[in-house]
């Protein structure tokens, strides 16, 4: 299957990086390589781009798509949790900009055998990288009802989490839930008919929750953000695109912590904790897709872009 993915907030995220043509940039979520291509177009001969992705299909696609930038583009199969190690191995201490386009790619959603989508019947998987030890099938069939409830409620913000978990546990006593279609059927049975008629697809929040849990998405995000800011040159920027409220909240809070790290009580006349601001937040409110973009790519509707700039500490 051809690797197709429409890059979201493409111009806004790249403009936000304020590209230095001679700079070094890192696309931490290579995906369909659309953002990487735009960055490379703006680099001069001395400029470099590192593209990181844990999905071998994304790496293979990027290498082919960006073959005209040999000597400037470097693809690395890794998770951005390993960002610090990747930069050390590339012998790059400081870089000019980072881009994160979080969430699942259109290719992953549209490839049934990856098991991400509630729209295609396939084996339950949801791993963004094939080397990951745990897939969605193991969670659905192995976790307790309480653990499933917590995951679906916390990561899916699903009001029917307890009921869905209860129906999953009841169903798997008869036989294991092995496919996305089987899981969708259980979720639809668990959610009352009146609630199913309004809002998004009834399985959307549960599938999101399982995907986040399988890939430990929120667990690795805060560390990756802080590692990226540490590796930024003064004046360098970081652009982060999120697709659901949990991610956006984490980015917002992490940026706020790095911009205003002082822990002194408000009554203190001067700072005594010694913690210095590391970044300036460029986007007071997140940038959202234009109506024109949403017309072309409805999947962009929940996207939000936040940008920060490294201070000269």
């Amino acid at each position: 299957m051809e690797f197709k993915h429409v890059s979201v907030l493409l111009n806004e995220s790249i403009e936000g990086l304020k590209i230095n043509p001679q700079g070094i940039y890192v696309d931490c979520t290579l995906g369909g390589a659309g953002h990487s291509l735009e960055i490379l177009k703006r680099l001069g001969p001395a400029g470099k781009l590192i593209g990181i992705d844990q999905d071998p299909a994304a790496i293979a696609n990027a290498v082919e798509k960006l073959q005209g930038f040999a000597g400037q583009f470097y693809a690395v199969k890794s998770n951005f949790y390993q960002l610090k190690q990747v930069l050390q191995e590339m012998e790059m201490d400081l870089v000019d900009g980072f881009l994160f386009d979080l969430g699942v790619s259109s290719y992953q959603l549209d490839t049934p055998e990856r098991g991400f989508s509630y729209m295609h019947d396939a084996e339950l998987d949801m791993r963004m990288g094939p080397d990951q030890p745990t897939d969605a099938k193991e969670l659905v069939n192995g976790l307790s009802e309480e653990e499933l409830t917590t995951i679906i409620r916390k990561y899916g913000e699903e009001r029917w989490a307890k009921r869905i978990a209860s129906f999953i546990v009841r169903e798997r006593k008869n036989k294991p839930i092995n496919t996305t279609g089987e899981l969708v059927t259980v979720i639809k049975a668990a959610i009352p008919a009146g609630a199913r008629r309004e809002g998004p697809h009834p399985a959307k929040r549960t599938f999101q929750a399982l995907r986040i849990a399988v890939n430990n998405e929120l667990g690795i995000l805060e560390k990756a953000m802080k590692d990226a800011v540490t590796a930024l040159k003064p004046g360098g920027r970081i652009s982060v695109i999120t697709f659901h409220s949990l991610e956006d909240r984490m980015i917002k809070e992490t940026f706020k912590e790095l911009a205003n790290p002082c822990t002194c009580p408000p009554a203190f006349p001067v700072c005594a904790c010694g913690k210095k601001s590391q970044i300036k937040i460029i986007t007071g409110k997140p940038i959202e897709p234009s109506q024109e973009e949403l017309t072309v790519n409805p999947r962009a509707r929940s996207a939000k872009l936040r940008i920060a700039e490294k201070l000269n500490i």
Side-chain angles (χ1 to χ4, degrees), residues 15-46:
E15 291 290 340
L17 288 174
K18 282 175 58 179
I19 301 282
N20 167 13
Q22 313 310 318
I24 299 170
Y25 291 85
V26 184
D27 184 346
C28 296
T29 46
L30 195 47
H35 290 102
S36 285
L37 177 59
E38 283 303 312
I39 293 172
L40 285 162
K41 283 179 182 177
R42 300 174 190 222
L43 292 180

Side-chain angles (χ1 to χ4, degrees), residues 249-276:
R249 198 177 306 140
M250 178 169 283
I251 299 303
K252 179 183 177 182
E253 293 303 319
T254 303
F255 277 7
K256 190 188 295 184
E257 178 190 339
L258 294 170
N260 302 293
C262 180
T263 54
C264 297
F268 274 33
V270 293
C271 174
C273 72
K275 295 181 178 178
K276 304 292 184 188

Side-chain angles (χ1 to χ4, degrees), residues 53-56 77 108 114 116 125-134 215:
D53 207 294
Q54 59 187 337
D55 188 339
K77 182 181 173 296
Q108 290 167 329
R114 299 299 294 269
F116 281 101
D125 192 326
M126 301 195 192
R127 291 173 298 169
M128 288 186 177
D131 302 331
Q132 290 168 245
T134 305
N215 297 287

Side-chain angles (χ1 to χ4, degrees), residues 9 14 83 118 126 138 164 167 201 205 228 236 255 291 312:
L9 289 163
I14 305 302
L83 182 58
Y118 44 79
M126 301 195 192
E138 291 178 60
I164 291 168
F167 272 57
H201 190 287
R205 293 187 178 94
F255 277 7
Q291 194 54 52
N312 194 351

